[in-house]
Amino acid sequence: MAAEHTLNVDKVFYALGPMGRYQCLHLLLVSLGVFPALIQLLDNVFIGSAVDHSCARPEDNTSSPLLLTASPNHTLSYEECHIQVKDANDSVVEEFTCLHGFEYEGPRTQSVVSQLDLVCDKEQLLRVTQTLVFSGQAIGAIVGPYFSDRFGRKLTLVFSNLIMLVLGLTIAFAPNYTVFAIAKFFIGAAQQSVYIPVCIYTGELLPTEYRRYSLIINTVAWSLSGLTMSLVAFLMQDVSWRYLQAVLSLSSLVFIVHLW
């Protein structure tokens, strides 16, 4: 029986220098990949902020024929999700859905919620897109490591970030909910194909004794990513959600750094 040989890679790391400038530089540069990974995972918090709304009134300032009741004493109340017909005692006589669409406080473009009318009976659709992101992550958690082992960490990081950039901009200019939702699913897969190789790559740079530092750096990068995204969203709170999404998606340009 052939003798079994065990390779202790840590000896190679110590011979080369376990924690020098090379490792520190690579840890910092590779950990930048955490930024787009977190941003595309949580950006719904900012681009999908809740917007105060109510049922829209008819454009000609007259009531719909469906709302004309027999009594002239009835009044119309335009609520968030219903148009209520009330009598003189302020009691609801009849109730209708928002027949003429919705009115929003502030510009319609301030949130994807108001842009795509994801309110009332469609309110859950925004939450569905976050579920689609998580579903895409499940796919990415399988595909990402395979490509990372098969084609290398660097190529997987660069290619996945490029995909996230394209999908992020697709979301920013999505003409309808269907395009928005599909892009969210695939961006979830790309997100895992970025984050998992980042964690693996940073761990492989160091011998066992020092690998805790890679975890610390990735955790700090994750926290800084959230703070950075919050700051950008605050500074862009008065512009369209589409511009905010586009700017956040530009974080995937970090793949240019990874090319080096």
Side-chain angles (χ1 to χ4, degrees), residues 13 18-19 23 27 202-208 210-211 213-214:
F13 282 121
M19 195 70 178
Q23 289 88 346
L27 282 172
T202 52
E204 290 173 337
L205 281 171
L206 305 171
T208 305
Y210 290 87
R211 285 178 183 168
Y213 296 118
S214 69

Side-chain angles (χ1 to χ4, degrees), residues 15 23 69-70 72 85 88 110 123 125 131 142 145 160 169 178 194 200 205 230 239 260:
Q23 289 88 346
T69 57
V85 181
Q110 68 180 347
E123 183 179 0
L125 290 181
T131 302
I142 298 173
S160 298
L169 294 177
T178 301
V194 168
I200 296 173
L205 281 171
S230 301
V239 303
W260 296 339

Side-chain angles (χ1 to χ4, degrees), residues 77-218:
S77 178
Y78 294 86
E79 306 297 331
E80 280 193 354
C81 298
H82 296 92
I83 303 175
Q84 296 178 342
V85 181
K86 297 181 178 181
D87 59 18
N89 297 321
D90 205 32
S91 299
V92 178
V93 177
E94 206 166 357
E95 195 172 68
F96 299 90
T97 58
C98 296
L99 303 173
H100 311 288
F102 300 92
E103 291 180 351
Y104 298 94
E105 291 190 12
R108 192 180 183 88
T109 58
Q110 68 180 347
S111 170
V112 67
V113 170
S114 52
Q115 184 84 72
L116 302 180
D117 286 334
L118 303 181
V119 294
C120 298
D121 57 334
K122 295 182 179 180
E123 183 179 0
Q124 300 300 324
L125 290 181
L126 183 63
R127 297 186 178 94
V128 169
T129 63
Q130 193 63 32
T131 302
L132 289 173
V133 173
F134 296 146
S135 301
Q137 282 186 300
I139 303 299
I142 298 173
V143 176
Y146 169 77
F147 280 100
S148 182
D149 290 338
R150 180 68 176 82
F151 301 105
R153 320 296 187 220
K154 174 181 174 179
L155 183 61
T156 303
L157 278 174
V158 171
F159 187 65
S160 298
N161 264 307
L162 185 58
I163 291 176
M164 280 213 302
L165 176 62
V166 173
L167 290 173
L169 294 177
T170 299
I171 290 172
F173 299 102
N176 52 55
Y177 176 80
T178 301
V179 174
F180 183 87
I182 292 175
K184 279 289 185 179
F185 172 79
F186 286 107
I187 211 167
Q191 187 266 354
Q192 281 293 282
S193 298
V194 168
Y195 188 65
I196 292 178
V198 165
C199 295
I200 296 173
Y201 189 95
T202 52
E204 290 173 337
L205 281 171
L206 305 171
T208 305
E209 182 183 354
Y210 290 87
R211 285 178 183 168
R212 63 182 182 273
Y213 296 118
S214 69
L215 296 176
I216 293 172
I217 290 175
N218 286 334

Side-chain angles (χ1 to χ4, degrees), residues 2-112:
E4 293 185 0
H5 297 281
T6 301
L7 176 63
N8 189 342
V9 182
D10 281 2
K11 292 182 179 180
V12 178
F13 282 121
Y14 282 112
L16 295 174
M19 195 70 178
R21 286 182 298 176
Y22 176 87
Q23 289 88 346
C24 292
L25 177 62
H26 273 69
L27 282 172
L28 293 174
L29 294 182
V30 175
S31 65
L32 291 176
V34 172
F35 279 71
L38 177 132
I39 284 172
Q40 296 297 354
L41 177 63
L42 301 179
D43 65 343
N44 265 10
V45 173
F46 299 104
I47 67 171
S49 57
V51 182
D52 292 333
H53 60 90
S54 62
C55 292
R57 290 169 170 74
E59 293 183 1
D60 58 359
N61 293 322
T62 62
S63 60
S64 168
L66 294 176
L67 302 179
L68 294 176
T69 57
S71 173
N73 296 324
H74 289 170
T75 58
L76 301 178
S77 178
Y78 294 86
E79 306 297 331
E80 280 193 354
C81 298
H82 296 92
I83 303 175
Q84 296 178 342
V85 181
K86 297 181 178 181
D87 59 18
N89 297 321
D90 205 32
S91 299
V92 178
V93 177
E94 206 166 357
E95 195 172 68
F96 299 90
T97 58
C98 296
L99 303 173
H100 311 288
F102 300 92
E103 291 180 351
Y104 298 94
E105 291 190 12
R108 192 180 183 88
T109 58
Q110 68 180 347
S111 170
V112 67

Side-chain angles (χ1 to χ4, degrees), residues 218-238:
N218 286 334
T219 302
V220 171
W222 187 268
S223 301
L224 289 177
S225 302
L227 292 173
T228 302
M229 179 170 60
S230 301
L231 177 61
V232 172
F234 174 76
L235 295 175
M236 299 184 65
Q237 61 182 313
D238 296 324

